[in-house]
Amino acid sequence: MATTENAYIRTELEVRRERLLAASQSNSADSSLPQLLASVDAALSRLKTGTFGICEQCHESIEADRLLYDPLVRFCLDHLSAEEQRALEKDLVLAAGIQRTLLPRADWSVDGWQARYHYQPANLVSGDYCDLIESNGGFLFLLGDVAGKGVAASMLMSHLHATFRTLAEQHLPLQKMMEHANRLFSESTTAGQYATMIVGYARPNGKVSYVSAGHLPLFHISSFGVRPREATGVPLGMFCTTRFPVCELELEPGDKLLLYTDGLTEMFNAAGDEYGVARVHALAKKHAAADPEAMLTACLEEIRNFSAAAKQTDDLTLLVLHRAQ
Ligand SMILES: [Zn+2]
């Protein structure tokens, strides 16, 4: 670890040591305190001898973010004890539960519109973001994909959720909302952390405005066919100041929009072929007449057939919006 981080950790450990010493002098001191004190002393001694942050089993570096969070860890993620692994799994199950509460209702509908989605993390938690927010008589629909996966991506996903939920209450024009969200996201992430996203606003009369921040094309499914709509800007969080051009669409009764994350397009079959956008296009055409629920079911069935025995390696989200007849 960097010297400044080590200095920070040493100070932290010394503060904890003082606290532990004070607490252990109390009459009602917990019996675990001497053991904790020994662990803190051992970590301080590792700092002194230069072995701090080295896994005691494989002698590789321990993940830096874990050390900052808990300077007492002695093993890398690959070499946790069975007890530590159980604790980590428990934390992840809890995080997955929290993440599920951030999702919209499964049977979502508002004036003249119906929405159905499928949200499937590759592991316990997902870096995909999906939300529907009623606003000013219409509703906002949001679908995004944070770069990377796992716990770090899921934390950024919940960050996006909180950001957009807060901004939605201010009823800003779409472009302004994206600019604010982008600035907030850029300021709170490090380089290399960004999210591709589609954010749209649908009105009861079928008019839809949307922004696509570097996201995969969305499909407009109508009686005239299926039309892809490409991204209009760069991903969120990539540059502090950037503009997000707004596009307009008009949906007739019966029309649908299909949005998805790269868990769909970057899925592979047993022969090593990637699913790709062209197959999504064909999929949308094939099921153009289906209602949103049937469309999702059919899509998932085709995806399962395509990937067969291949393991799901990326988070997958599908969102279908339907302008009711
Ligand atoms: Zn190790």
Side-chain angles (χ1 to χ4, degrees):
M1 289 191 92
T3 325
T4 45
E5 280 173 352
N6 273 354
Y8 168 77
I9 285 173
R10 179 175 290 116
T11 314
E12 273 295 300
L13 283 169
E14 279 161 358
V15 170
R16 288 182 203 194
R17 192 173 189 283
E18 289 302 310
R19 293 273 170 122
L20 278 170
L21 275 177
S24 59
Q25 261 135 38
S26 147
N27 286 337
S28 51
D30 189 83
S31 59
S32 66
L33 292 185
Q35 202 184 343
L36 265 176
L37 190 60
S39 300
V40 170
D41 282 340
L44 281 166
S45 123
R46 287 197 294 279
L47 274 167
K48 208 175 277 172
T49 56
T51 55
F52 182 83
I54 308 287
C55 171
E56 290 181 16
Q57 180 147 346
C58 67
H59 308 294
E60 298 287 332
S61 299
I62 296 173
E63 300 76 13
D65 52 345
R66 286 182 58 229
L67 281 170
L68 282 173
Y69 167 68
D70 181 5
L72 302 184
V73 294
R74 292 156 45 215
F75 297 94
C76 73
L77 273 180
D78 290 336
H79 297 113
L80 295 179
S81 69
E83 192 188 338
E84 287 169 323
Q85 253 166 20
R86 271 196 299 278
L88 188 65
E89 277 165 22
K90 224 164 123 188
D91 279 350
L92 281 174
V93 168
L94 202 62
I98 292 170
Q99 195 168 41
R100 275 196 300 275
T101 66
L102 301 181
L103 291 170
R105 277 198 331 267
D107 58 345
W108 203 88
S109 60
V110 289
D111 195 12
W113 289 88
Q114 203 188 8
R116 292 293 180 270
Y117 66 89
H118 175 79
Y119 187 84
Q120 186 180 340
N123 293 304
L124 278 169
V125 288
S126 172
D128 281 0
Y129 169 49
C130 177
D131 205 2
L132 299 159
I133 309 168
E134 286 185 49
S135 172
N136 263 349
F139 69 99
L140 286 161
F141 56 94
L142 308 100
L143 180 121
D145 181 358
V146 174
K149 45 183 180 270
V151 177
S154 77
M155 289 176 79
L156 290 178
M157 173 273 178
S158 62
H159 178 62
L160 279 179
H161 180 274
T163 301
F164 278 103
R165 282 270 160 174
T166 308
L167 289 173
E169 288 184 5
Q170 296 173 23
H171 304 294
L172 300 166
L174 211 48
Q175 183 162 327
K176 274 272 159 291
M177 183 167 79
M178 286 302 280
E179 283 172 15
H180 281 301
N182 180 59
R183 192 172 39 75
L184 289 167
F185 197 65
S186 303
E187 284 170 2
S188 53
T189 54
T190 57
Q193 292 181 315
Y194 58 86
T196 67
M197 274 196 85
I198 292 178
V199 180
Y201 181 68
R203 299 167 186 82
N205 63 6
K207 287 195 192 322
V208 171
S209 313
Y210 73 92
V211 162
S212 174
H215 200 76
L216 290 156
L218 70 86
F219 288 100
H220 177 192
I221 305 164
S222 73
S223 53
F224 300 106
V226 177
R227 291 187 59 191
R229 302 281 181 153
E230 303 289 336
T232 56
V234 296
L236 208 71
M238 208 166 243
F239 303 97
C240 259
T241 50
T242 181
R243 296 180 73 81
F244 295 92
V246 177
C247 295
E248 307 290 339
L249 279 174
E250 203 158 337
L251 269 74
E252 297 297 327
D255 283 10
K256 286 184 284 285
L257 293 178
L258 171 65
L259 290 75
Y260 51 92
T261 57
D262 63 7
L264 176 59
T265 49
E266 294 179 7
M267 176 176 63
F268 287 89
N269 65 10
D273 303 322
E274 200 179 53
Y275 196 75
V277 174
R279 280 195 179 88
V280 184
H281 195 162
L283 188 72
K285 266 188 191 162
K286 190 171 164 192
H287 303 289
D291 65 47
E293 223 149 298
M295 184 171 220
L296 275 186
T297 309
C299 288
L300 290 171
E301 170 117 26
E302 296 221 8
I303 293 165
R304 263 191 290 273
N305 290 339
F306 179 84
S307 59
K311 190 184 176 299
Q312 181 192 350
T313 54
D314 204 353
D315 306 318
L316 169 70
T317 307
L318 301 168
L319 172 65
V320 181
L321 303 175
H322 177 230
R323 188 171 172 219
Q325 302 274 10

